[in-house]
Amino acid sequence: MANFNSSSLGPPAPSTLAITDTGSTGHFLPADTPVLNKRPAIHPITIHNPNGTIMHSTHDAELNVPTLPLAARKAH
């Protein structure tokens, strides 16, 4: 985690806001998130949200973070 004074930077733009979770099981992104190699999901996944709603993936892609291994960049 970076150590910096976030108050001097101001709030991030909505399109750049991200929350890292090293214990996450995957990356689930809004459809308009800038990603690499976006393609229709051959094997869509289903996500059950804490509020009781259910979401289905429509695409697979890769996060544009080249310093991460490919397995860590996979996103839905």
Side-chain angles (χ1 to χ4, degrees), residues 37-60:
N37 302 318
K38 185 175 179 180
R39 58 211 171 270
I42 296 172
H43 302 289
I45 60 172
T46 300
I47 302 163
H48 297 266
N49 295 302
N51 67 0
T53 60
I54 298 173
M55 295 169 45
H56 304 282
S57 66
T58 59
H59 290 77
D60 293 318

Side-chain angles (χ1 to χ4, degrees), residues 14-53:
S15 63
T16 60
L17 181 61
I19 299 171
T20 45
D21 179 359
T22 57
S24 70
T25 56
H27 304 292
F28 310 100
L29 310 170
D32 60 349
T33 301
V35 293
L36 302 174
N37 302 318
K38 185 175 179 180
R39 58 211 171 270
I42 296 172
H43 302 289
I45 60 172
T46 300
I47 302 163
H48 297 266
N49 295 302
N51 67 0
T53 60

